[in-house]
Amino acid sequence: MTRVVLGIADQLVAGELRSALLEITGVEVVYLADSSQELTRAVLRESPDIVFVHDGLGPEPVLQTIRDLSLRRPASATLLVTSGATAQTAMSLMDSGGRGVVSYPLVFEEVLTRVSGAVEWSAQMGRLLAGSDGNGDSSAMSRARVIGFVGAKGGVGTTTLATHLAMDVCRQFETMKVALVDLDLEKGDVTSILDVRHRTSIADVAKVSEDLSLGTVGDAIVVHESGLHLLLAPADVREGEYVSPESLRAIMALLRREYDLILIDGGAHVTPAQAALVELADDIVVVVTPDVLCLRSLRRAISAWQSLEVRDEQDLHVLVNKVSKQDAFPYSAVEKLTSATVLETVVPSMFRYLEPSLNARDPREVTETAWWKVIRLIGGELRVVPAVSRLPVALPGSSAGEGETAGGDPQTSGGTRSRRRRGRLVAAERGSIALENAALFPIVLVVCLMVWQLCLTGMTFVFSGLAAAAAAREFSLTSGGPRVTQAAGTALPTWWKDGMKVNYPGGTDGRTVEVSLPIPVLVPGTFRLPTRISTLHTVVPER
């Protein structure tokens, strides 16, 4: 079955083309998009064999849209539907990566011919790409994946996460070409994390974007000693104005052909360059921290992107960073406040372990394995690297407190995701809980023994009073004898009968009876308490 996606805003043209395609055996229209942004998302999601693009589609220029599609899905044949087909139009289309022109008004025979040729070309291209990849994975049909990291606000750790992920991929896969682009034109913090110097920047490349070549970009690329390729932000903030959406498209198109993975630090401010990144990237990761201020900033950024029609909220990924046990705002509530996909992996607050690498400007100074485990879990969720085993990460303690990582399927529903994350959180804390219990158990045991011993002492005092009253009453009737001791014993439980002593301090004519009881001791020799309790009771003579 040949899968087709239509990018046509004119409903009349779309209806006629759909009707013509339905008459062709084995052709299925899987999606109809009415904007260039929606068309790009549909092509990336559906991976169609043929894409029809109308020359009235907007808001992006049609040829630019076709160029982006040919780079990101080279196995999809793109056909332009136009009412002004000329030789110049065909040449411009071929330069942009298109495969043919369909004239409007439509002629069925022409549509059939174009579809047949496009199907053969798409099938052949798919076989070539699958053969070069070695596994036939359609997701690998574009040379490079572009993943943009943007911050909901400043200081959330966007640059740190993007840089460390790029560095870790280079370290794991030495044959993989990875580029890190610093598109934070105002701050450019990548050079604060990596010890590199540069004379040219992305602004210098943007100045000549209309006549761009591999050599021009290569002159601006800085190769870090780790093997990571860097395209850095300009040192002079005024040069950032040269980086326009049009120049960024040309730069990204060239980088896609030369690298396997492109990670971009987009900063925390909604600018024209950042908006272009949000539209062009295959995936956008919005970094947030679990606090109300950051989530408000997230909502403002999403509203800005949606108003610019560059990406819908549902197509975003949200990564929660700097999670701590002391946070008043629970990180699990983030997924309830956005319809974006919240990554299962959360990043703990581990500044104490990151500080040496920040001071040395070298991420390789981080020796804490738990941190790199988290970074690889993020890479696995974003399909940057093969999925990592999603076992709970036992994180070290710190004065600032840490969060815990959790893994799972990012497509799971919100409620299930929360329960799964909390389950992994409990599993990650089991070791620390066991240590705490081991330390507290002796203290709790001693306190319990002391309380119970005090209870036994109080009960002995009460029972001695009861026994003395019974003995005094019997003494008033019999004036002494064994029946007095028997009367005192009947008022006592079994534990206190052994060792009971009954005395008459005043003799048989005295007016008092004394009952002495031993105090039960749970652990002999442990508590320094009186060994016996005696109670005197006045005898009331019977008249």
Side-chain angles (χ1 to χ4, degrees):
M1 181 67 70
T2 301
R3 296 164 55 84
V4 177
V5 169
L6 305 181
I8 303 175
D10 190 322
Q11 297 300 317
L12 178 60
V13 177
E16 291 184 17
L17 182 57
R18 183 192 289 268
S19 299
L21 293 174
L22 290 177
E23 297 182 20
I24 303 176
T25 304
V27 174
E28 176 188 9
V29 178
V30 296
Y31 197 85
L32 172 61
D34 58 6
S35 68
S36 55
Q37 293 90 348
E38 186 180 2
L39 175 63
T40 300
R41 292 193 293 269
V43 171
L44 295 178
R45 182 179 62 252
E46 302 292 343
S47 296
D49 302 298
I50 303 175
V51 181
F52 283 90
V53 184
H54 188 234
D55 60 358
L57 188 69
E60 297 297 330
V62 174
L63 293 180
Q64 183 63 59
T65 301
I66 294 175
R67 182 179 292 107
D68 291 341
L69 294 177
S70 65
L71 291 171
R72 301 171 79 169
R73 282 294 181 268
S76 297
T78 305
L79 301 177
L80 177 65
V81 181
T82 178
S83 56
T86 62
Q88 183 61 39
T89 302
M91 291 179 61
S92 300
L93 177 64
M94 295 303 174
D95 291 340
S96 300
R99 297 307 307 165
V101 177
V102 177
S103 299
Y104 184 83
L106 300 176
V107 178
F108 178 76
E109 289 74 13
E110 181 186 6
V111 174
L112 179 59
T113 301
R114 295 289 183 267
V115 169
S116 300
V119 168
E120 294 179 3
W121 183 89
S122 178
Q124 180 64 19
M125 181 62 70
R127 286 191 293 269
L128 291 174
L129 291 172
S132 62
D133 181 59
N135 54 19
D137 186 4
S138 61
S139 65
M141 290 186 179
S142 59
R143 173 61 171 160
R145 288 190 66 235
V146 177
I147 300 178
F149 284 78
V150 297
K153 68 178 184 65
V156 296
T158 307
T159 305
T160 300
L161 291 171
T163 305
H164 283 233
L165 178 58
M167 184 75 72
D168 189 58
V169 173
C170 284
R171 183 165 52 184
Q172 290 186 79
F173 308 97
E174 296 181 357
T175 59
M176 191 173 183
K177 293 186 65 177
V178 181
L180 175 64
V181 180
D182 191 351
L183 201 59
D184 189 352
L185 304 177
E186 296 182 0
K187 295 168 57 179
D189 283 338
V190 169
T191 53
S192 299
I193 296 179
L194 297 176
D195 187 10
V196 293
R197 295 191 178 123
H198 67 292
R199 294 181 179 179
T200 56
S201 67
I202 189 173
D204 298 307
V205 178
K207 294 175 185 178
V208 294
S209 59
E210 294 183 358
D211 188 22
L212 203 59
S213 65
L214 181 60
T216 305
V217 177
D219 291 339
I221 293 290
V222 178
V223 181
H224 189 261
E225 59 184 10
S226 64
L228 178 63
H229 289 216
L230 306 171
L231 182 57
L232 301 170
D236 188 347
V237 68
R238 294 173 296 180
E239 293 192 349
E241 64 185 15
Y242 293 107
V243 185
S244 62
E246 293 75 17
S247 63
L248 189 59
R249 288 178 180 275
I251 295 171
M252 289 297 105
L254 192 144
L255 292 178
R256 280 183 184 273
R257 295 198 296 265
E258 297 300 320
Y259 290 93
D260 301 301
L261 174 66
I262 303 171
L263 300 180
I264 304 179
D265 175 14
H269 302 285
V270 179
T271 62
Q274 189 202 65
L277 164 65
V278 173
E279 179 185 3
L280 290 173
D282 298 311
D283 292 294
I284 289 294
V285 180
V286 187
V287 183
V288 302
T289 53
D291 59 81
V292 176
L293 178 60
C294 187
L295 294 177
R296 287 174 180 167
S297 300
L298 171 65
R299 180 52 50 196
R300 286 195 298 271
I302 291 176
S303 299
W305 296 330
Q306 289 182 331
S307 64
L308 295 172
E309 297 184 354
V310 293
R311 191 171 291 247
D312 293 331
E313 183 174 359
Q314 295 80 1
D315 297 327
L316 299 171
H317 296 278
V318 175
L319 174 60
V320 186
N321 189 22
K322 299 182 180 180
V323 175
S324 170
K325 294 179 181 178
Q326 282 72 40
D327 290 334
F329 190 93
Y331 69 86
S332 57
V334 174
E335 61 190 359
K336 300 177 182 178
L337 301 176
T338 177
S339 60
T341 301
V342 180
L343 297 185
E344 288 292 333
T345 304
V346 297
V347 185
S349 177
M350 298 180 68
F351 180 75
R352 184 165 58 127
Y353 299 99
L354 296 177
E355 188 174 10
S357 70
L358 297 176
N359 295 337
R361 296 169 68 185
D362 188 354
R364 293 170 295 182
E365 293 290 327
V366 180
T367 58
E368 181 57 52
T369 57
W371 170 258
W372 295 113
K373 174 71 172 178
V374 172
I375 293 298
R376 292 181 183 181
L377 286 173
I378 295 172
E381 281 199 65
L382 296 175
R383 295 175 288 111
V384 171
V385 297
V388 182
S389 175
R390 308 203 64 78
L391 296 176
V393 179
L395 299 177
S398 68
S399 58
E402 309 78 37
E404 289 74 21
T405 63
D409 183 2
Q411 302 300 326
T412 309
S413 62
T416 304
R417 240 183 0 244
S418 296
R419 291 191 296 271
R420 188 174 298 173
R421 182 176 292 167
R422 286 194 293 270
R424 290 186 174 89
L425 179 63
V426 172
E429 289 184 341
R430 285 175 181 167
S432 60
I433 291 175
L435 292 176
E436 292 173 359
N437 289 343
L440 291 176
F441 180 75
I443 299 175
V444 174
L445 179 61
V446 171
V447 171
C448 292
L449 290 175
M450 292 177 62
V451 172
W452 184 236
Q453 185 64 59
L454 291 175
C455 291
L456 290 176
T457 303
M459 293 171 64
T460 302
F461 178 79
V462 172
F463 288 141
S464 66
L466 295 175
R473 186 166 53 253
E474 186 64 29
F475 185 86
S476 66
L477 297 174
T478 61
S479 298
R483 296 186 61 181
V484 175
T485 303
Q486 293 177 2
T490 57
L492 297 176
T494 304
W495 283 11
W496 279 270
K497 289 183 179 180
D498 296 338
M500 179 189 68
K501 296 181 180 179
V502 180
N503 299 318
Y504 318 118
T508 57
D509 296 329
R511 297 294 182 180
T512 59
V513 174
E514 180 183 24
V515 175
S516 176
L517 298 179
I519 301 176
V521 180
L522 293 177
V523 183
T526 303
F527 302 100
R528 294 176 176 242
L529 297 172
T531 57
R532 304 183 69 84
I533 290 181
S534 300
T535 302
L536 292 173
H537 200 285
T538 302
V539 178
V540 179
E542 294 288 338
R543 297 182 180 273

